[in-house]
Amino acid sequence: MANQIFRRVAGLLTGRAARTAAGATLVADGLVGIDVPGGRRRTGIVGSLVVVAVGLLFVGLGWWWHGQHQPYPDGTSATATVTRITTSRDTDGRTMYSRVLTFTASNNQPVEFTEPESSTNRPTIGSTATVSYRPQDPGSARIIPETDWIPYGMIALGALAALIGAVTFLVRLVTLVAGIYLLASAARRRVGG
């Protein structure tokens, strides 16, 4: 008697209906993800590709930003002095400061430019910074920071997101293939018997 019950339960769990339900669930989970207990949402294969794309976008933006803080390959370096400070307001009403720097170009002409980035920290007049500029266009000067942590952090976080997205993509791909296999297996059982 117990043997018959076991066979019936095993038949239900491995039968065509169970394979179809499991296969359909795995295909849905692989494609779009399924909500799991606790309110977490699992991303599917499409969402994982979006995560990879966003991660790579952050890597690219971080790399570009880092490049904006590098000396020009065909440029000249100089030491610039903060001669003035400009102020502005951000969207929250906070005062933002930008340095106005002055340096002497290789043709002995003074060049003044305003730093494109602003901060809530008030800079000190008379402080110095290294700048790089093209001799034919001293107005293109850019500040070369001693440390460039923000772009590196952006690159690292973007790479981490892209890696997580790629791993999730592979897991969802396996889930999708397993679901298709179960659906095909259930269809073969229907045709075969």
Side-chain angles (χ1 to χ4, degrees):
M1 177 75 158
N3 198 14
Q4 287 179 338
I5 293 173
F6 177 75
R7 283 187 184 165
R8 281 189 178 218
V9 170
L12 286 174
L13 294 177
T14 61
R16 185 179 65 205
R19 286 177 181 258
T20 301
T25 301
L26 287 175
V27 167
D29 188 32
L31 288 176
V32 294
I34 294 179
D35 291 339
V36 295
R40 287 186 24 231
R41 170 109 174 111
R42 292 172 25 159
T43 186
I45 204 164
V46 175
S48 66
L49 290 174
V50 170
V51 171
V52 168
V54 169
L56 292 176
L57 176 68
F58 271 84
V59 168
L61 287 173
W63 191 260
W64 174 83
W65 192 359
H66 175 66
Q68 298 304 304
H69 294 161
Q70 294 300 302
Y72 288 109
D74 59 344
T76 303
S77 292
T79 299
T81 304
V82 177
T83 53
R84 289 187 297 123
I85 301 167
T86 62
T87 59
S88 61
R89 298 265 181 205
D90 68 2
T91 55
D92 296 329
R94 294 179 297 193
T95 302
M96 303 298 288
Y97 302 98
S98 293
R99 300 181 287 183
V100 178
L101 297 121
T102 305
F103 67 94
T104 303
S106 55
N107 60 4
N108 288 328
Q109 281 192 297
V111 177
E112 181 179 272
F113 74 100
T114 303
E115 176 180 32
E117 297 165 5
S118 57
S119 170
T120 56
N121 296 329
R122 185 178 177 87
T124 306
I125 293 182
S127 61
T128 60
T130 303
V131 296
S132 177
Y133 66 95
R134 294 185 173 112
Q136 67 275 15
D137 184 17
S140 67
R142 59 182 170 198
I143 299 168
I144 310 303
E146 292 179 24
T147 57
D148 204 17
W149 295 110
I150 294 174
Y152 285 138
M154 212 170 172
I155 291 168
L157 289 175
L160 180 62
L163 179 65
I164 290 170
V167 169
T168 303
F169 175 82
L170 292 175
V171 169
R172 294 295 166 247
L173 186 61
V174 168
T175 303
L176 184 61
V177 169
I180 291 170
Y181 172 78
L182 285 174
L183 286 174
S185 173
R188 280 193 306 271
R189 279 189 171 210
R190 179 183 302 165
V191 172

